[in-house]
Amino acid sequence: MYDYYISLGDNCEIGLQLRRIGYEQSSFFRFTASPFNSTYQIIENDFQNVFLSENLVPRVCNNLETIMVRDTRYDIGIHARLPYVKNDNGKKIFIKNMDFMAAYDREYSKIKYFIEKWHSLINSEKKVLYLIKAAENTSRSNAEKLLDLFSRKYPNHQFDLAYLQLEEYREPDWKIP
């Protein structure tokens, strides 16, 4: 049995399935669009320089407010509500005015909360099951790479990793935990 179930991406599907069964424990990657390499780099870099305003561009927009932004440093989509405008070419951009900065400060405080929660959890005695969904046919090598990263960075952390594959990329049993 686990104390926490944490999604590591690749998109919101795991978070939505956890919600469907009533598990509402929040985490940084739960509702992100994060390819494996992005997730890996963010963890490897201890979340440094994630969600800096100069690296954000509108990703999914609705009624002059984003509902998701892309952090270009890590190529990760993050749900965040930030005001945008369309420039003369019709491109959606952020204007760093007072409205944007107030919204950014609100969203950045959430990001900092999730990062602090991550660090608290990896340094606790809680047992965690990390869930990651494969978007490509590199599951075993990515799983081994992630296991190595966690073992190196968090040697005292109690965790298991469940790597979910799409049926089209299904591999035989890896014979590893």
Side-chain angles (χ1 to χ4, degrees), residues 148-159:
D148 178 62
L149 175 67
F150 272 65
S151 297
R152 182 171 36 86
K153 289 187 73 68
Y154 316 128
N156 298 319
H157 185 36
Q158 297 179 59
F159 74 93

Side-chain angles (χ1 to χ4, degrees), residues 3 11 17 45 48 59 80 86:
D3 298 302
N11 59 27
Q17 290 304 318
N45 294 327
Q48 290 179 11
R59 180 161 178 218
K86 289 184 182 179

Side-chain angles (χ1 to χ4, degrees), residues 124-172:
S124 75
E125 294 185 13
K126 304 288 185 187
K127 186 156 185 184
V128 179
L129 177 63
Y130 292 98
L131 302 138
I132 188 165
K133 187 187 92 175
E136 67 279 330
N137 192 14
T138 56
S139 299
R140 182 176 181 148
S141 62
N142 284 349
E144 289 171 337
K145 188 175 174 182
L146 197 58
L147 284 168
D148 178 62
L149 175 67
F150 272 65
S151 297
R152 182 171 36 86
K153 289 187 73 68
Y154 316 128
N156 298 319
H157 185 36
Q158 297 179 59
F159 74 93
D160 287 314
L161 176 64
Y163 216 102
L164 310 172
Q165 298 174 312
L166 298 174
E167 185 64 34
E168 64 189 277
Y169 301 131
R170 185 179 190 177
E171 297 171 332

Side-chain angles (χ1 to χ4, degrees), residues 5-132:
Y5 300 88
I6 305 292
S7 172
L8 296 178
D10 114 290
N11 59 27
C12 304
E13 286 182 81
I14 293 172
L16 292 171
Q17 290 304 318
L18 290 170
R19 174 173 281 167
R20 184 181 62 78
I21 62 170
Y23 187 80
E24 286 294 340
Q25 204 48 249
S26 61
S27 62
F28 181 86
F29 294 103
R30 182 166 179 174
F31 291 113
T32 63
S34 185
F36 176 83
N37 288 334
S38 299
T39 300
Y40 184 91
Q41 287 301 312
I42 289 170
I43 295 168
E44 172 71 25
N45 294 327
D46 291 318
F47 296 83
Q48 290 179 11
N49 300 318
V50 72
F51 204 78
L52 297 181
S53 66
E54 61 267 22
N55 296 332
L56 302 179
V57 295
R59 180 161 178 218
V60 178
C61 304
N62 187 16
N63 300 325
L64 299 181
E65 183 177 69
T66 61
I67 55 174
M68 186 171 255
V69 299
R70 186 169 72 85
D71 182 324
T72 59
R73 175 175 171 83
Y74 288 106
D75 192 28
I76 180 175
I78 300 171
H79 284 275
R81 297 195 174 277
L82 298 173
Y84 69 90
V85 297
K86 289 184 182 179
N87 67 13
D88 294 338
N89 298 331
K91 183 178 179 182
K92 297 168 185 169
I93 60 170
F94 293 130
I95 303 249
K96 310 279 172 69
N97 59 21
M98 288 178 53
D99 289 338
F100 175 87
M101 291 314 295
Y104 173 78
D105 288 346
R106 182 189 67 239
E107 296 294 340
Y108 188 66
S109 70
K110 293 177 194 175
I111 297 298
K112 287 192 321 189
Y113 166 77
F114 287 134
I115 294 169
E116 289 167 9
K117 189 173 181 180
W118 175 275
H119 287 117
S120 176
L121 190 58
I122 60 165
N123 291 305
S124 75
E125 294 185 13
K126 304 288 185 187
K127 186 156 185 184
V128 179
L129 177 63
Y130 292 98
L131 302 138
I132 188 165

